[in-house]
Amino acid sequence: MHTVRHTLRQLAKTPAFTAVAILTLAVGIGSTAAMYSTLRALVVEPLPYPASDELVHVWSNDGQPLSQPDTFDVMDRSTCFAELGVYSPQAANLGGEKPQSITSVSCTPGVLRALGIAPALGRLLTDADEKQGAPSVVVIGDALWHNSFGGDPHILGRDIRVNGANTTVVGVMPPHFEFASPWMRTLSAQMWVPLQLKRGDGDRGSHWLCMVGRLKPGVPVATADAQIKAIGAQLKAEYPKSNARKPFLVRPLLFEVTRGTAPRVWLLFGAVVLVLLIACANVASMLLARNARRQGEFGIRVALGALRRDIVKLTLIESTLLAAGGAVGGSLLAVVGTRVLAMIAPVTAERRAAMGLDGGVLAFTVGVALIAALLAGLPPALASLRLPVTELLRADSRSTTGSRTRHNFLRGLIVGQVALALALANAAALFSAAYVKLLQVNRPLATEYVLSARIQLRGERYDKRETRAQFTEQIAERVAALPGVSAAGTTNKLPLEGGSNMTILVNDETFDPTAERILAEVSSVTSGYFQAAGIALLRGRTLQPSDAEGENPGIVVNRAFAEKAWPGENPLGKPVRQNSDKPEFTARVVGVVDDVRQWGPETPARPELYWSPNRSWGRYLFIVLRSTQPASRFAPEIRHALDSLDPDLPLADVRTLQQVVDQATQGQRAIVQMIDFFMALALGLVAVGLYGTLSYHVLQRTREIGVRVALGATAADVLRLVFRQGLGWVLVGAVLGLVGALALTSTLKSIVYGMESVDPLSLAIAVVVIAAATLLACWIPARRAAKLDPTEALRATG
């Protein structure tokens, strides 16, 4: 405690040094703590369920859901699960004075039971609810309960309008309950309705049911996976026409909900660790220089009987106190940092709420502070250990500060900082270049002159496909007739936001369940959609009303489909059939349009076919209109057109295509912003470290510089002397950094869109940025050295 009190007094005597050191460590510690909070919420502990390691997802193929018949077979034959259920995310229409679209989940009772969270009010769905003809019931979320029903304490037993029918509320889930699903990474479910499946119904080729289960205690995932694979092999033998290409598999739910997020979050965490290392190296350099000035004090301590370990203890206590101050300041910065991360992260509201400082994050912060204290304190401590006792006892501190050991440590720290900063700057340049390329690829879609809006045709009124097709054509016609609209149409899915697909037969191909056929995305559109969305017609024509009827209707395919099915041939008039022993349709190609990416901005366009709305099996439709002026002004007019057809239908997700692209690229944009921010921090820390170290060296070489000036050296000569030393360190660090950047580039290939090899331009940009920071850091001490009065310099003892 005596040493601690003494160290505190010493730090108080040098407030500038203390403030800079604490702030430097606060930046490193706070950034790391904020990213750890994000990492824990999104990757390490994203499942807020009891015994979450027992939760698994069952697929018929990698990422492929189950068909309805396969679902019953798996449930009947599996024995590894305590609970098992299937669900399908489906938006629901909530009636009232202002109809609204609610993110809903249609599920069997086993789904919510598997998650293991009890309702705050009422009950969960039961087996009786999923029987055919059972009364309509619903379990709602806490947010929906408060936002739409004012937190009515008598909500249980109350009838509400869901999809045009009276539905009884039987339960309310607790606050912050989250329905974790690989298909709902950014959506928060607020309604759960019974999924009433009937044995014997459905097609084994129609995959739309996600299966989630809880393993029995003691049953490992591998055992369940082996059993499900065995069931899949049985089904393959029993139904070779439909199940030949379904291996079936079981994966932990944690893996499924984090597989798209984990690599990028880990990458950001690695970047912030580099910032922390640079901060620690910076403070270590400052402590080395500070200890050089305290050489006389250390000599007196040794003369009075202090041992070498006492000097080391003094240094480590000093770094620990600085780290403690950094931890306090870092915690405050982490509060702000986690809020910023929560704002830009493309995750659910529940995951955002989990990104905060709690006991676990604070404990991690303390641990990081201790590591920082060790990393910052070890170099000066080791330097003190290696100094001969004779030098410690010398009264003239400036003679000893030129010790080779201390200079070697300082050089090593600066070189290491530059190498780390260059690797991070290269990563930032790569991500920025990739993001720009991503925007360029999707630029044809991004416009404020095209508006989209979603409608879901739920309820008994729209049970028939013909009724849905008629409504689709009517709303398209009414929107197209609005003044100022140059083109309008509808589609069952927007670009970049996924969809549905099927395998297709072309040319002379015949049905073979073991053969790989073209997997094509399927879109139902009206004739004006292509012009409204800005999708160019390459050959033939677009759809016409006559293409909706007949035994051989017309369809439009995209460029990717035409090139894969008929390379080098004219696709017009070519036949297309469903890949089935009893195909539901045979069509002919009447037009070819340009490609549009379907499954996100980074995934290349897949083969796609477009047909008329009367062949759509879905209940979603998106209105798309184009105008010569910003299209957002048409939202009220679309609402009015919808009211004229069905006022009970809500209009949801009203967005321009620019906003659609912005939302689709939100994750990539967040990565770029964070990497650029960490790079700026790293470069700032390196610049401060270079400045401090060079200033220290100029101070120690005061007499030498005075002699040089006295012997005729000019100010330019002195500038070159200082710059040569600083740039020499940076050059060594840059070489090491380039090696690290090249190694890092190979790792980033699997994460960064469009990165196929080393990007020389990105490396050049990173080197230029580092060089600019170096020149700035060298300029001030060099200019100070050039202005030294030789008379005063020669009086300095050396």
Side-chain angles (χ1 to χ4, degrees):
M1 289 305 301
H2 172 76
T3 306
V4 169
R5 288 193 295 270
H6 172 76
T7 304
L8 287 173
R9 287 195 297 270
Q10 292 297 320
L11 291 174
K13 291 178 181 178
T14 53
F17 165 86
T18 304
V20 171
I22 289 178
L23 180 61
T24 299
L25 289 175
V27 168
I29 293 171
S31 300
T32 308
M35 271 310 305
Y36 172 74
S37 173
T38 303
L39 179 70
R40 194 180 67 164
L42 302 186
V43 177
V44 180
E45 300 175 2
L47 300 180
Y49 310 120
S52 60
D53 57 318
E54 296 177 353
L55 293 172
V56 295
H57 224 281
V58 182
W59 301 109
S60 62
N61 206 334
D62 188 11
Q64 182 183 54
L66 279 67
S67 68
Q68 185 169 328
D70 288 339
T71 291
F72 283 107
D73 289 327
V74 170
M75 289 183 171
D76 291 341
R77 304 184 191 191
S78 59
T79 59
C80 293
F81 302 96
E83 293 289 352
L84 195 62
V86 292
Y87 67 92
S88 177
Q90 296 177 350
N93 293 335
L94 180 64
E97 292 184 6
K98 293 183 178 180
Q100 53 184 309
S101 177
I102 302 297
T103 302
S104 173
V105 176
S106 297
C107 61
T108 59
V111 172
L112 291 178
R113 290 201 300 257
L115 299 182
I117 302 294
L121 296 175
R123 63 173 176 85
L124 299 177
L125 302 178
T126 65
D127 294 338
D129 297 327
E130 66 173 333
K131 296 185 182 301
Q132 297 290 324
S136 296
V137 297
V138 63
V139 174
I140 63 175
D142 181 82
L144 181 62
W145 177 38
H146 283 89
N147 295 336
S148 297
F149 304 106
D152 179 8
H154 305 294
I155 189 68
L156 297 181
R158 175 176 167 180
D159 283 348
I160 61 176
R161 295 285 289 178
V162 177
N163 296 329
N166 288 333
T167 306
T168 304
V169 177
V170 296
V172 179
M173 298 306 291
H176 308 304
F177 169 73
E178 180 178 4
F179 187 80
S181 166
W183 280 14
M184 302 173 66
R185 290 191 173 95
T186 62
L187 298 176
S188 299
Q190 285 298 316
M191 184 180 292
W192 295 266
V193 297
L195 182 61
Q196 297 178 341
L197 303 176
K198 184 179 179 181
R199 288 180 181 270
D201 285 354
D203 181 358
R204 289 187 185 271
S206 177
H207 304 93
W208 62 285
L209 293 170
C210 293
M211 178 173 281
V212 66
R214 178 177 289 275
L215 298 173
K216 291 180 179 178
V219 175
V221 174
T223 299
D225 184 54
Q227 184 183 78
I228 292 298
K229 280 183 168 59
I231 294 173
Q234 295 170 8
L235 296 177
K236 178 180 178 180
E238 296 171 16
Y239 307 100
K241 291 183 178 181
S242 61
N243 286 51
R245 301 177 65 85
K246 298 181 189 178
F248 285 82
L249 54 97
V250 173
R251 282 187 175 148
L253 184 59
L254 175 62
F255 171 80
E256 290 297 337
V257 299
T258 62
R259 63 188 302 184
T261 306
R264 299 187 179 192
V265 178
W266 276 113
L267 178 70
L268 284 175
F269 188 73
V272 81
V273 168
L274 293 183
V275 174
L276 176 64
L277 291 176
I278 292 172
C280 292
N282 209 330
V283 174
S285 301
M286 296 170 64
L287 288 173
L288 277 168
R290 175 180 170 85
N291 284 357
R293 298 186 181 94
R294 298 176 64 188
Q295 204 68 41
E297 175 195 340
F298 291 164
I300 294 174
R301 287 176 176 271
V302 171
L304 294 176
L307 299 177
R308 194 181 295 270
R309 66 170 178 266
D310 296 320
I311 304 299
V312 173
K313 179 177 67 176
L314 189 65
T315 302
L316 290 177
I317 286 178
E318 188 172 41
S319 67
T320 301
L321 291 174
L322 291 173
V328 174
S331 298
L332 299 177
L333 292 177
V335 172
V336 178
T338 51
R339 290 178 180 175
V340 173
L341 288 169
M343 289 172 58
I344 66 175
V347 295
T348 62
E350 292 80 10
R351 289 301 89 206
R352 290 192 182 96
M355 293 165 57
L357 264 65
D358 56 15
V361 177
L362 291 177
F364 175 83
T365 305
V366 172
V368 170
L370 292 175
I371 294 174
L374 192 63
L375 293 176
L378 268 182
L382 292 175
S384 299
L385 278 175
R386 298 187 64 177
L387 280 175
V389 176
T390 53
E391 288 198 18
L392 280 172
L393 291 173
R394 290 183 61 176
D396 187 356
S397 64
R398 284 197 183 172
S399 64
T400 59
T401 53
S403 109
R404 180 173 301 176
T405 298
R406 183 173 288 110
H407 282 290
N408 287 340
F409 271 114
L410 280 169
R411 276 196 297 269
L413 290 171
I414 290 297
V415 167
Q417 287 184 70
V418 171
L420 292 175
L422 181 60
L424 190 55
N426 175 65
L430 286 173
F431 272 97
S432 296
Y435 181 63
V436 170
K437 183 177 180 181
L438 190 68
L439 293 180
Q440 290 175 342
V441 169
N442 294 280
R443 190 175 302 280
L445 282 175
T447 175
E448 295 289 347
Y449 295 91
V450 178
L451 189 69
S452 68
R454 174 170 57 86
I455 302 172
Q456 54 245 11
L457 303 177
R458 300 287 185 188
E460 294 182 2
R461 176 178 176 178
Y462 301 103
D463 281 346
K464 293 183 179 181
R465 181 182 297 183
E466 295 78 8
T467 305
R468 298 197 297 272
Q470 183 182 17
F471 178 91
T472 300
E473 295 287 354
Q474 289 175 338
I475 191 66
E477 290 174 0
R478 299 198 180 194
V479 172
L482 293 175
V485 173
S486 58
T490 66
T491 176
N492 65 324
K493 63 182 181 64
L494 289 177
L496 307 180
E497 297 189 345
S500 56
N501 47 57
M502 64 169 59
T503 53
I504 299 296
L505 298 175
V506 298
N507 303 323
D508 58 352
E509 292 177 342
T510 58
F511 173 68
D512 181 353
T514 63
E516 184 175 353
R517 303 302 189 191
I518 295 178
L519 181 65
E521 301 300 312
V522 181
S523 296
S524 302
V525 301
T526 55
S527 57
Y529 168 71
F530 299 109
Q531 184 181 354
I535 302 174
L537 177 66
L538 305 180
R539 281 177 179 252
R541 61 173 176 81
T542 57
L543 296 175
Q544 297 177 354
S546 59
D547 293 317
E549 306 297 336
E551 296 180 358
N552 195 26
I555 63 167
V556 172
V557 299
N558 68 345
R559 183 206 302 264
F561 192 114
E563 291 178 349
K564 189 165 186 176
W566 309 286
E569 300 181 34
N570 183 0
L572 298 182
K574 297 288 187 180
V576 172
R577 306 179 301 282
Q578 183 184 18
N579 182 31
S580 172
D581 60 333
K582 297 179 181 179
E584 292 185 4
F585 76 93
T586 298
R588 56 187 171 83
V589 177
V590 298
V592 180
V593 296
D594 209 354
D595 292 336
V596 174
R597 299 187 175 213
Q598 305 98 344
W599 291 89
E602 295 179 331
T603 305
R606 298 179 180 181
E608 185 165 12
L609 63 85
Y610 301 86
W611 57 26
S612 300
N614 70 321
R615 296 191 173 275
S616 173
W617 55 81
R619 292 174 177 265
Y620 285 91
L621 69 89
F622 290 87
I623 299 170
V624 180
L625 70 85
R626 177 177 290 272
S627 174
T628 55
Q629 51 190 306
S632 57
R633 62 173 290 269
F634 287 94
E637 297 182 50
I638 296 177
R639 177 68 259 180
H640 180 71
L642 179 59
D643 286 343
S644 67
L645 293 174
D646 189 342
D648 290 333
L649 291 179
L651 194 68
D653 290 340
V654 180
R655 300 169 291 169
T656 64
L657 284 193
Q658 178 68 60
Q659 291 172 316
V660 171
V661 174
D662 288 344
Q663 290 180 9
T665 57
Q666 184 180 2
Q668 294 85 348
R669 184 167 57 253
I671 294 288
V672 170
Q673 290 172 342
M674 294 309 301
I675 288 286
D676 287 347
F677 176 71
F678 294 148
M679 180 197 70
L681 282 182
L683 292 179
L685 292 175
V686 169
V688 170
L690 277 169
Y691 167 74
T693 303
L694 287 172
S695 297
Y696 161 71
H697 273 274
V698 168
L699 177 64
Q700 304 314 312
R701 300 179 70 176
T702 299
R703 181 178 177 81
E704 175 194 343
I705 293 172
V707 171
R708 288 175 180 268
V709 173
L711 294 177
T714 64
D717 295 327
V718 176
L719 286 172
R720 280 194 296 271
L721 176 69
V722 177
F723 269 100
R724 186 167 57 245
Q725 182 162 47
L727 292 175
W729 294 345
V730 172
L731 180 62
V732 176
V735 172
L736 295 177
L738 285 173
V739 174
L742 292 174
L744 182 62
T745 299
S746 61
T747 303
L748 294 177
K749 285 182 181 180
S750 60
I751 302 175
V752 181
Y753 164 78
M755 181 179 169
E756 299 177 355
S757 60
V758 175
D759 187 351
L761 179 61
S762 296
L763 285 175
I765 292 173
V767 171
V768 169
V769 171
I770 291 291
T774 300
L775 292 174
L776 179 64
C778 292
W779 170 250
I780 298 177
R783 187 180 61 175
R784 184 183 301 155
K787 293 181 177 181
L788 278 175
D789 184 345
T791 305
E792 295 297 326
L794 289 171
R795 292 176 182 173
T797 57

